[in-house]
Amino acid sequence: MDDKLLFSEEEVAVPSNHDAQQFWHVLIADDEPAVHQITTMVLGGMEVQGRPLKLISAYTGEEALQVMAEREDIALALLDVVMETPDAGLNCARVIREEMKNKYTRLVLRTGQPGQAPEEQVIRDYDINDYKDKTELTSTKMKTLVYSTIRSYRDICTVNQSRKGLRRVIDAISEVNESHTLRTLASAILDQIINLLGLQSDAICCRQLSAYAASVQEGHYHVLATSGDMDKYKDVQSIDELPAEVANAFKKASETQGSFATEHYYVCYKRSHMGAENLLYLEYPGDLTDLDQQLLEIYASNVGLTYENLLIREEVEDTQRELVYILGEAVEGRSKETGAHVKRVAKISHFLALSYGLDEESADLIKYASPLHDIGKIGIADSILNKPGKLDDVEWQTMQTHANFGETLLARSGKRILKLASVIAGQHHERWDGTGYPRGLAGEEIDVAARITAVADVLDALASQRCYKEAWSYDKIVDLMQRERGKQFEPRLVDLLIANFEQIKAIRTRYPD
């Protein structure tokens, strides 16, 4: 199902900081000063869920709309039907709901002339929550009205916060699947859990809680998730960088290998089957039930397990990438060329890909695939590969077959890196002007990954010593690149190379022969 179908109604302005407020804000819109005085007397000192009311006065419909436009935290609006016009209150209700798209503030219309705006018609035609005759609003009924409407407002805001949190979780799951990043997902779920705990009391205040979750492995802490005031510590590298109370709590939990609670915070301790310690620190203003603690334990266990699974997946992928480098270096070593050449080509290709405007994922794929650009040389005889002089025509034709051989060899795989490596192997000797081999491709017929790798390969090969030549100077290489601009190489890539030549030189310095 499309997320827009799930969340489209929630895209309007939401009371963004209702949970951090100290008051319930109530708007009184009435053109009679006496009504304001009486309402203030009745509601003065009243509290709902431990929070006092803060009354805001408006004497016209226009003033009321101005207040509503300036604030997103009005819990209840008491609107007089007749103010500067006979239908001023009705118009306010319409504008608030239809134009301001405010679905959260509870709207109660009050009238001293019930016959002018019949109750059934008003309730039917306007999106309001109640309609009262001023004469029936005794002190008790007024307070009852306030209690019920503000609780309704609180619950709507809580549901909205949960829905927003669910959306964060859904988005974060997608991000984890795409980028292998856990923190966004773990933090989103942590916020959701805190929100759920808050439903037992004042859910609007739940985000005042601060929570911090970390995993310790091989003696080092790695932050998995943060929430609330603890967000500032999401990048810490040591437990000593945490607040003293948090650090001491983690140390105590680790020493005792158990969870514990104090009057102000709860620490959850879970040890994984791989030996990693997963710790959760949660500050809270009240008691946690057994069910609350079980929920937090489940969270700590599963976030830690997800983290371990990501580490395993990352290790497998690192191993695959390392094997690509090893294989590329083995080919270069067979031809008595420098093994560091493939690493430099990979790094330079990655840099050029990003400079060219490719996204990070595409640039990474080129980096991981480019080391296999000359894999086809394993099918070339040593006598040709290591010949110190110039190849004759027959030998040169044989050497050219390495492009097709490498492409065919790698094309057997369905993996993204090896599929791209197949393309690079088969096309990195094509030329922009169409005079290259093996197919004579020209311009953008050549895959951009092959065009980029070709520039990186030629540059590094020229700058390195080979059995058949000495290393070229950088000035001589730049001169060649400029002469081959639009011939052997894509003009834009040559321009990028020259414009960033110092960065390219720095890459070669970091990976010497």
mmCIF file of all heavy atoms in Angstrom, residues 274-316:
data_model
loop_
_atom_site.group_PDB
_atom_site.id
_atom_site.type_symbol
_atom_site.label_atom_id
_atom_site.label_comp_id
_atom_site.label_asym_id
_atom_site.label_seq_id
_atom_site.Cartn_x
_atom_site.Cartn_y
_atom_site.Cartn_z
ATOM 1 N N MET A 274 26.763 -14.112 20.860
ATOM 2 C CA MET A 274 28.125 -13.861 20.388
ATOM 3 C C MET A 274 28.985 -13.193 21.460
ATOM 4 O O MET A 274 30.147 -12.894 21.233
ATOM 5 C CB MET A 274 28.095 -12.974 19.138
ATOM 6 C CG MET A 274 27.477 -13.650 17.914
ATOM 7 S SD MET A 274 27.444 -12.573 16.473
ATOM 8 C CE MET A 274 29.197 -12.369 16.159
ATOM 9 N N GLY A 275 28.388 -12.939 22.619
ATOM 10 C CA GLY A 275 29.147 -12.365 23.721
ATOM 11 C C GLY A 275 29.080 -10.859 23.825
ATOM 12 O O GLY A 275 29.675 -10.281 24.741
ATOM 13 N N ALA A 276 28.372 -10.194 22.933
ATOM 14 C CA ALA A 276 28.262 -8.739 22.989
ATOM 15 C C ALA A 276 27.252 -8.345 24.049
ATOM 16 O O ALA A 276 26.240 -9.021 24.265
ATOM 17 C CB ALA A 276 27.846 -8.179 21.633
ATOM 18 N N GLU A 277 27.506 -7.241 24.745
ATOM 19 C CA GLU A 277 26.602 -6.725 25.765
ATOM 20 C C GLU A 277 25.770 -5.596 25.176
ATOM 21 O O GLU A 277 26.316 -4.616 24.670
ATOM 22 C CB GLU A 277 27.387 -6.216 26.977
ATOM 23 C CG GLU A 277 28.166 -7.302 27.691
ATOM 24 C CD GLU A 277 29.016 -6.743 28.826
ATOM 25 O OE1 GLU A 277 29.198 -5.514 28.870
ATOM 26 O OE2 GLU A 277 29.487 -7.545 29.642
ATOM 27 N N ASN A 278 24.470 -5.737 25.246
ATOM 28 C CA ASN A 278 23.567 -4.704 24.759
ATOM 29 C C ASN A 278 22.925 -4.008 25.955
ATOM 30 O O ASN A 278 22.327 -4.665 26.815
ATOM 31 C CB ASN A 278 22.496 -5.311 23.859
ATOM 32 C CG ASN A 278 23.100 -6.047 22.687
ATOM 33 O OD1 ASN A 278 23.906 -5.498 21.953
ATOM 34 N ND2 ASN A 278 22.733 -7.307 22.513
ATOM 35 N N LEU A 279 23.061 -2.697 26.020
ATOM 36 C CA LEU A 279 22.623 -1.925 27.171
ATOM 37 C C LEU A 279 21.652 -0.841 26.750
ATOM 38 O O LEU A 279 21.848 -0.187 25.719
ATOM 39 C CB LEU A 279 23.831 -1.285 27.859
ATOM 40 C CG LEU A 279 24.916 -2.264 28.350
ATOM 41 C CD1 LEU A 279 26.210 -1.527 28.590
ATOM 42 C CD2 LEU A 279 24.455 -2.953 29.609
ATOM 43 N N LEU A 280 20.630 -0.667 27.550
ATOM 44 C CA LEU A 280 19.655 0.390 27.289
ATOM 45 C C LEU A 280 19.465 1.200 28.560
ATOM 46 O O LEU A 280 19.158 0.643 29.623
ATOM 47 C CB LEU A 280 18.323 -0.199 26.841
ATOM 48 C CG LEU A 280 17.155 0.780 26.722
ATOM 49 C CD1 LEU A 280 17.422 1.774 25.604
ATOM 50 C CD2 LEU A 280 15.852 0.039 26.471
ATOM 51 N N TYR A 281 19.636 2.510 28.452
ATOM 52 C CA TYR A 281 19.439 3.430 29.583
ATOM 53 C C TYR A 281 18.213 4.277 29.292
ATOM 54 O O TYR A 281 18.118 4.907 28.240
ATOM 55 C CB TYR A 281 20.680 4.311 29.743
ATOM 56 C CG TYR A 281 20.549 5.411 30.782
ATOM 57 C CD1 TYR A 281 20.944 5.193 32.091
ATOM 58 C CD2 TYR A 281 20.048 6.665 30.440
ATOM 59 C CE1 TYR A 281 20.845 6.201 33.048
ATOM 60 C CE2 TYR A 281 19.950 7.676 31.383
ATOM 61 C CZ TYR A 281 20.350 7.438 32.684
ATOM 62 O OH TYR A 281 20.254 8.438 33.620
ATOM 63 N N LEU A 282 17.276 4.280 30.223
ATOM 64 C CA LEU A 282 16.033 5.016 30.013
ATOM 65 C C LEU A 282 15.702 5.841 31.247
ATOM 66 O O LEU A 282 15.544 5.303 32.344
ATOM 67 C CB LEU A 282 14.889 4.035 29.724
ATOM 68 C CG LEU A 282 13.502 4.648 29.558
ATOM 69 C CD1 LEU A 282 13.419 5.375 28.218
ATOM 70 C CD2 LEU A 282 12.425 3.584 29.633
ATOM 71 N N GLU A 283 15.613 7.164 31.062
ATOM 72 C CA GLU A 283 15.158 8.042 32.137
ATOM 73 C C GLU A 283 13.639 8.127 32.078
ATOM 74 O O GLU A 283 13.068 8.164 30.997
ATOM 75 C CB GLU A 283 15.761 9.436 31.983
ATOM 76 C CG GLU A 283 17.273 9.465 32.142
ATOM 77 C CD GLU A 283 17.841 10.856 31.917
ATOM 78 O OE1 GLU A 283 17.050 11.755 31.566
ATOM 79 O OE2 GLU A 283 19.053 11.038 32.081
ATOM 80 N N TYR A 284 13.013 8.183 33.245
ATOM 81 C CA TYR A 284 11.551 8.256 33.254
ATOM 82 C C TYR A 284 11.107 8.916 34.557
ATOM 83 O O TYR A 284 11.787 8.838 35.580
ATOM 84 C CB TYR A 284 10.929 6.862 33.124
ATOM 85 C CG TYR A 284 11.353 5.905 34.217
ATOM 86 C CD1 TYR A 284 10.590 5.753 35.367
ATOM 87 C CD2 TYR A 284 12.528 5.176 34.098
ATOM 88 C CE1 TYR A 284 10.994 4.894 36.362
ATOM 89 C CE2 TYR A 284 12.931 4.311 35.095
ATOM 90 C CZ TYR A 284 12.160 4.168 36.232
ATOM 91 O OH TYR A 284 12.566 3.322 37.221
ATOM 92 N N PRO A 285 9.944 9.573 34.531
ATOM 93 C CA PRO A 285 9.472 10.304 35.710
ATOM 94 C C PRO A 285 8.616 9.477 36.651
ATOM 95 O O PRO A 285 8.206 9.950 37.683
ATOM 96 C CB PRO A 285 8.628 11.422 35.077
ATOM 97 C CG PRO A 285 8.075 10.802 33.840
ATOM 98 C CD PRO A 285 9.132 9.861 33.348
ATOM 99 N N GLY A 286 8.307 8.242 36.307
ATOM 100 C CA GLY A 286 7.435 7.424 37.161
ATOM 101 C C GLY A 286 7.877 5.985 37.181
ATOM 102 O O GLY A 286 9.015 5.658 36.820
ATOM 103 N N ASP A 287 6.984 5.102 37.654
ATOM 104 C CA ASP A 287 7.320 3.681 37.763
ATOM 105 C C ASP A 287 7.140 2.977 36.429
ATOM 106 O O ASP A 287 6.271 3.314 35.630
ATOM 107 C CB ASP A 287 6.416 3.015 38.807
ATOM 108 C CG ASP A 287 6.672 3.562 40.202
ATOM 109 O OD1 ASP A 287 7.823 3.956 40.458
ATOM 110 O OD2 ASP A 287 5.727 3.602 41.007
ATOM 111 N N LEU A 288 7.997 1.987 36.184
ATOM 112 C CA LEU A 288 7.857 1.120 35.024
ATOM 113 C C LEU A 288 7.231 -0.194 35.476
ATOM 114 O O LEU A 288 7.676 -0.802 36.452
ATOM 115 C CB LEU A 288 9.218 0.845 34.380
ATOM 116 C CG LEU A 288 9.885 2.000 33.634
ATOM 117 C CD1 LEU A 288 11.258 1.564 33.130
ATOM 118 C CD2 LEU A 288 9.040 2.454 32.474
ATOM 119 N N THR A 289 6.222 -0.641 34.785
ATOM 120 C CA THR A 289 5.596 -1.916 35.115
ATOM 121 C C THR A 289 6.454 -3.063 34.599
ATOM 122 O O THR A 289 7.396 -2.868 33.816
ATOM 123 C CB THR A 289 4.197 -2.009 34.492
ATOM 124 O OG1 THR A 289 4.339 -2.052 33.056
ATOM 125 C CG2 THR A 289 3.351 -0.801 34.881
ATOM 126 N N ASP A 290 6.122 -4.270 35.005
ATOM 127 C CA ASP A 290 6.839 -5.445 34.500
ATOM 128 C C ASP A 290 6.704 -5.554 32.988
ATOM 129 O O ASP A 290 7.656 -5.926 32.287
ATOM 130 C CB ASP A 290 6.287 -6.719 35.169
ATOM 131 C CG ASP A 290 6.644 -6.796 36.646
ATOM 132 O OD1 ASP A 290 7.596 -6.104 37.050
ATOM 133 O OD2 ASP A 290 5.960 -7.536 37.376
ATOM 134 N N LEU A 291 5.516 -5.218 32.488
ATOM 135 C CA LEU A 291 5.302 -5.267 31.045
ATOM 136 C C LEU A 291 6.182 -4.256 30.328
ATOM 137 O O LEU A 291 6.744 -4.547 29.264
ATOM 138 C CB LEU A 291 3.824 -5.004 30.726
ATOM 139 C CG LEU A 291 3.430 -5.066 29.242
ATOM 140 C CD1 LEU A 291 3.715 -6.458 28.676
ATOM 141 C CD2 LEU A 291 1.947 -4.721 29.064
ATOM 142 N N ASP A 292 6.325 -3.060 30.905
ATOM 143 C CA ASP A 292 7.199 -2.043 30.326
ATOM 144 C C ASP A 292 8.631 -2.555 30.232
ATOM 145 O O ASP A 292 9.311 -2.410 29.214
ATOM 146 C CB ASP A 292 7.174 -0.759 31.163
ATOM 147 C CG ASP A 292 5.816 -0.084 31.157
ATOM 148 O OD1 ASP A 292 5.053 -0.322 30.204
ATOM 149 O OD2 ASP A 292 5.536 0.673 32.099
ATOM 150 N N GLN A 293 9.103 -3.162 31.319
ATOM 151 C CA GLN A 293 10.475 -3.656 31.345
ATOM 152 C C GLN A 293 10.673 -4.795 30.348
ATOM 153 O O GLN A 293 11.720 -4.892 29.705
ATOM 154 C CB GLN A 293 10.836 -4.106 32.761
ATOM 155 C CG GLN A 293 10.868 -2.954 33.764
ATOM 156 C CD GLN A 293 11.347 -3.386 35.133
ATOM 157 O OE1 GLN A 293 12.063 -4.377 35.276
ATOM 158 N NE2 GLN A 293 10.943 -2.639 36.166
ATOM 159 N N GLN A 294 9.663 -5.654 30.214
ATOM 160 C CA GLN A 294 9.760 -6.729 29.222
ATOM 161 C C GLN A 294 9.858 -6.163 27.809
ATOM 162 O O GLN A 294 10.620 -6.658 26.976
ATOM 163 C CB GLN A 294 8.540 -7.639 29.336
ATOM 164 C CG GLN A 294 8.506 -8.479 30.603
ATOM 165 C CD GLN A 294 7.212 -9.257 30.750
ATOM 166 O OE1 GLN A 294 6.457 -9.393 29.787
ATOM 167 N NE2 GLN A 294 6.941 -9.753 31.953
ATOM 168 N N LEU A 295 9.087 -5.108 27.534
ATOM 169 C CA LEU A 295 9.131 -4.478 26.220
ATOM 170 C C LEU A 295 10.519 -3.915 25.937
ATOM 171 O O LEU A 295 11.062 -4.071 24.840
ATOM 172 C CB LEU A 295 8.079 -3.372 26.141
ATOM 173 C CG LEU A 295 7.959 -2.612 24.813
ATOM 174 C CD1 LEU A 295 7.563 -3.551 23.689
ATOM 175 C CD2 LEU A 295 6.950 -1.479 24.937
ATOM 176 N N LEU A 296 11.111 -3.280 26.936
ATOM 177 C CA LEU A 296 12.449 -2.716 26.764
ATOM 178 C C LEU A 296 13.494 -3.814 26.578
ATOM 179 O O LEU A 296 14.439 -3.654 25.801
ATOM 180 C CB LEU A 296 12.799 -1.839 27.967
ATOM 181 C CG LEU A 296 11.974 -0.555 28.108
ATOM 182 C CD1 LEU A 296 12.248 0.109 29.448
ATOM 183 C CD2 LEU A 296 12.272 0.407 26.965
ATOM 184 N N GLU A 297 13.338 -4.928 27.281
ATOM 185 C CA GLU A 297 14.269 -6.043 27.120
ATOM 186 C C GLU A 297 14.186 -6.638 25.717
ATOM 187 O O GLU A 297 15.204 -6.978 25.111
ATOM 188 C CB GLU A 297 13.991 -7.116 28.174
ATOM 189 C CG GLU A 297 14.381 -6.700 29.587
ATOM 190 C CD GLU A 297 14.090 -7.776 30.607
ATOM 191 O OE1 GLU A 297 13.617 -8.854 30.188
ATOM 192 O OE2 GLU A 297 14.341 -7.547 31.805
ATOM 193 N N ILE A 298 12.958 -6.764 25.223
ATOM 194 C CA ILE A 298 12.785 -7.270 23.857
ATOM 195 C C ILE A 298 13.457 -6.338 22.861
ATOM 196 O O ILE A 298 14.124 -6.773 21.914
ATOM 197 C CB ILE A 298 11.286 -7.433 23.531
ATOM 198 C CG1 ILE A 298 10.687 -8.558 24.373
ATOM 199 C CG2 ILE A 298 11.073 -7.718 22.046
ATOM 200 C CD1 ILE A 298 9.176 -8.659 24.275
ATOM 201 N N TYR A 299 13.283 -5.040 23.077
ATOM 202 C CA TYR A 299 13.909 -4.053 22.192
ATOM 203 C C TYR A 299 15.433 -4.206 22.208
ATOM 204 O O TYR A 299 16.071 -4.295 21.158
ATOM 205 C CB TYR A 299 13.532 -2.638 22.639
ATOM 206 C CG TYR A 299 14.362 -1.562 21.971
ATOM 207 C CD1 TYR A 299 14.068 -1.124 20.681
ATOM 208 C CD2 TYR A 299 15.454 -1.009 22.615
ATOM 209 C CE1 TYR A 299 14.835 -0.161 20.070
ATOM 210 C CE2 TYR A 299 16.235 -0.047 22.005
ATOM 211 C CZ TYR A 299 15.917 0.380 20.735
ATOM 212 O OH TYR A 299 16.687 1.328 20.128
ATOM 213 N N ALA A 300 16.024 -4.235 23.412
ATOM 214 C CA ALA A 300 17.486 -4.327 23.516
ATOM 215 C C ALA A 300 18.011 -5.595 22.855
ATOM 216 O O ALA A 300 19.027 -5.573 22.153
ATOM 217 C CB ALA A 300 17.907 -4.267 24.984
ATOM 218 N N SER A 301 17.303 -6.703 23.070
ATOM 219 C CA SER A 301 17.747 -7.972 22.487
ATOM 220 C C SER A 301 17.709 -7.929 20.967
ATOM 221 O O SER A 301 18.668 -8.333 20.292
ATOM 222 C CB SER A 301 16.866 -9.113 22.994
ATOM 223 O OG SER A 301 17.007 -9.279 24.376
ATOM 224 N N ASN A 302 16.607 -7.445 20.412
ATOM 225 C CA ASN A 302 16.434 -7.472 18.967
ATOM 226 C C ASN A 302 17.298 -6.448 18.245
ATOM 227 O O ASN A 302 17.800 -6.722 17.147
ATOM 228 C CB ASN A 302 14.963 -7.277 18.613
ATOM 229 C CG ASN A 302 14.141 -8.527 18.834
ATOM 230 O OD1 ASN A 302 14.124 -9.429 18.001
ATOM 231 N ND2 ASN A 302 13.482 -8.614 19.976
ATOM 232 N N VAL A 303 17.482 -5.278 18.835
ATOM 233 C CA VAL A 303 18.384 -4.303 18.220
ATOM 234 C C VAL A 303 19.808 -4.843 18.220
ATOM 235 O O VAL A 303 20.538 -4.727 17.235
ATOM 236 C CB VAL A 303 18.308 -2.950 18.950
ATOM 237 C CG1 VAL A 303 19.438 -2.032 18.495
ATOM 238 C CG2 VAL A 303 16.976 -2.280 18.678
ATOM 239 N N GLY A 304 20.206 -5.465 19.332
ATOM 240 C CA GLY A 304 21.543 -6.049 19.384
ATOM 241 C C GLY A 304 21.710 -7.164 18.365
ATOM 242 O O GLY A 304 22.742 -7.275 17.703
ATOM 243 N N LEU A 305 20.665 -8.014 18.220
ATOM 244 C CA LEU A 305 20.720 -9.105 17.253
ATOM 245 C C LEU A 305 20.799 -8.565 15.825
ATOM 246 O O LEU A 305 21.569 -9.066 14.988
ATOM 247 C CB LEU A 305 19.487 -9.994 17.405
ATOM 248 C CG LEU A 305 19.385 -11.196 16.458
ATOM 249 C CD1 LEU A 305 20.562 -12.136 16.660
ATOM 250 C CD2 LEU A 305 18.066 -11.930 16.679
ATOM 251 N N THR A 306 20.005 -7.526 15.540
ATOM 252 C CA THR A 306 20.053 -6.916 14.210
ATOM 253 C C THR A 306 21.439 -6.349 13.925
ATOM 254 O O THR A 306 21.973 -6.484 12.824
ATOM 255 C CB THR A 306 19.002 -5.794 14.109
ATOM 256 O OG1 THR A 306 17.716 -6.335 14.379
ATOM 257 C CG2 THR A 306 19.007 -5.175 12.717
ATOM 258 N N TYR A 307 22.034 -5.720 14.926
ATOM 259 C CA TYR A 307 23.372 -5.164 14.770
ATOM 260 C C TYR A 307 24.382 -6.260 14.456
ATOM 261 O O TYR A 307 25.235 -6.110 13.563
ATOM 262 C CB TYR A 307 23.763 -4.426 16.040
ATOM 263 C CG TYR A 307 25.144 -3.819 16.014
ATOM 264 C CD1 TYR A 307 25.488 -2.868 15.049
ATOM 265 C CD2 TYR A 307 26.098 -4.182 16.947
ATOM 266 C CE1 TYR A 307 26.755 -2.310 15.016
ATOM 267 C CE2 TYR A 307 27.360 -3.633 16.930
ATOM 268 C CZ TYR A 307 27.688 -2.696 15.966
ATOM 269 O OH TYR A 307 28.940 -2.141 15.948
ATOM 270 N N GLU A 308 24.282 -7.372 15.159
ATOM 271 C CA GLU A 308 25.209 -8.472 14.900
ATOM 272 C C GLU A 308 25.030 -9.020 13.482
ATOM 273 O O GLU A 308 26.009 -9.344 12.805
ATOM 274 C CB GLU A 308 25.001 -9.579 15.930
ATOM 275 C CG GLU A 308 25.486 -9.209 17.322
ATOM 276 C CD GLU A 308 25.305 -10.322 18.318
ATOM 277 O OE1 GLU A 308 24.730 -11.365 17.945
ATOM 278 O OE2 GLU A 308 25.735 -10.164 19.472
ATOM 279 N N ASN A 309 23.780 -9.154 13.055
ATOM 280 C CA ASN A 309 23.525 -9.641 11.703
ATOM 281 C C ASN A 309 24.103 -8.703 10.653
ATOM 282 O O ASN A 309 24.635 -9.141 9.629
ATOM 283 C CB ASN A 309 22.021 -9.813 11.481
ATOM 284 C CG ASN A 309 21.455 -10.988 12.260
ATOM 285 O OD1 ASN A 309 22.185 -11.908 12.620
ATOM 286 N ND2 ASN A 309 20.163 -10.959 12.536
ATOM 287 N N LEU A 310 24.001 -7.396 10.917
ATOM 288 C CA LEU A 310 24.585 -6.428 9.988
ATOM 289 C C LEU A 310 26.103 -6.540 9.967
ATOM 290 O O LEU A 310 26.731 -6.403 8.913
ATOM 291 C CB LEU A 310 24.164 -5.007 10.371
ATOM 292 C CG LEU A 310 22.698 -4.641 10.121
ATOM 293 C CD1 LEU A 310 22.415 -3.238 10.619
ATOM 294 C CD2 LEU A 310 22.362 -4.748 8.645
ATOM 295 N N LEU A 311 26.696 -6.778 11.131
ATOM 296 C CA LEU A 311 28.149 -6.951 11.184
ATOM 297 C C LEU A 311 28.576 -8.173 10.381
ATOM 298 O O LEU A 311 29.578 -8.149 9.657
ATOM 299 C CB LEU A 311 28.616 -7.090 12.635
ATOM 300 C CG LEU A 311 28.597 -5.826 13.501
ATOM 301 C CD1 LEU A 311 29.056 -6.169 14.920
ATOM 302 C CD2 LEU A 311 29.507 -4.748 12.904
ATOM 303 N N ILE A 312 27.810 -9.279 10.514
ATOM 304 C CA ILE A 312 28.130 -10.492 9.761
ATOM 305 C C ILE A 312 28.010 -10.237 8.267
ATOM 306 O O ILE A 312 28.876 -10.620 7.477
ATOM 307 C CB ILE A 312 27.195 -11.640 10.192
ATOM 308 C CG1 ILE A 312 27.487 -12.042 11.646
ATOM 309 C CG2 ILE A 312 27.347 -12.841 9.265
ATOM 310 C CD1 ILE A 312 26.490 -13.030 12.214
ATOM 311 N N ARG A 313 26.915 -9.566 7.867
ATOM 312 C CA ARG A 313 26.726 -9.257 6.447
ATOM 313 C C ARG A 313 27.836 -8.343 5.943
ATOM 314 O O ARG A 313 28.356 -8.531 4.842
ATOM 315 C CB ARG A 313 25.361 -8.598 6.235
ATOM 316 C CG ARG A 313 25.051 -8.345 4.768
ATOM 317 C CD ARG A 313 23.601 -7.979 4.565
ATOM 318 N NE ARG A 313 23.256 -6.702 5.168
ATOM 319 C CZ ARG A 313 22.038 -6.172 5.136
ATOM 320 N NH1 ARG A 313 21.046 -6.830 4.559
ATOM 321 N NH2 ARG A 313 21.792 -5.015 5.691
ATOM 322 N N GLU A 314 28.207 -7.385 6.779
ATOM 323 C CA GLU A 314 29.274 -6.470 6.378
ATOM 324 C C GLU A 314 30.601 -7.205 6.229
ATOM 325 O O GLU A 314 31.384 -6.931 5.327
ATOM 326 C CB GLU A 314 29.393 -5.354 7.420
ATOM 327 C CG GLU A 314 30.390 -4.270 7.052
ATOM 328 C CD GLU A 314 30.380 -3.142 8.059
ATOM 329 O OE1 GLU A 314 29.308 -2.568 8.306
ATOM 330 O OE2 GLU A 314 31.458 -2.851 8.613
ATOM 331 N N GLU A 315 30.848 -8.175 7.133
ATOM 332 C CA GLU A 315 32.088 -8.948 7.053
ATOM 333 C C GLU A 315 32.130 -9.784 5.773
ATOM 334 O O GLU A 315 33.172 -9.884 5.113
ATOM 335 C CB GLU A 315 32.208 -9.855 8.277
ATOM 336 C CG GLU A 315 33.501 -10.654 8.310
ATOM 337 C CD GLU A 315 33.638 -11.481 9.571
ATOM 338 O OE1 GLU A 315 32.766 -11.376 10.454
ATOM 339 O OE2 GLU A 315 34.618 -12.233 9.674
ATOM 340 N N VAL A 316 30.981 -10.381 5.412
ATOM 341 C CA VAL A 316 30.911 -11.159 4.174
ATOM 342 C C VAL A 316 31.187 -10.278 2.970
ATOM 343 O O VAL A 316 31.958 -10.637 2.067
ATOM 344 C CB VAL A 316 29.530 -11.833 4.046
ATOM 345 C CG1 VAL A 316 29.369 -12.448 2.657
ATOM 346 C CG2 VAL A 316 29.357 -12.905 5.118
#
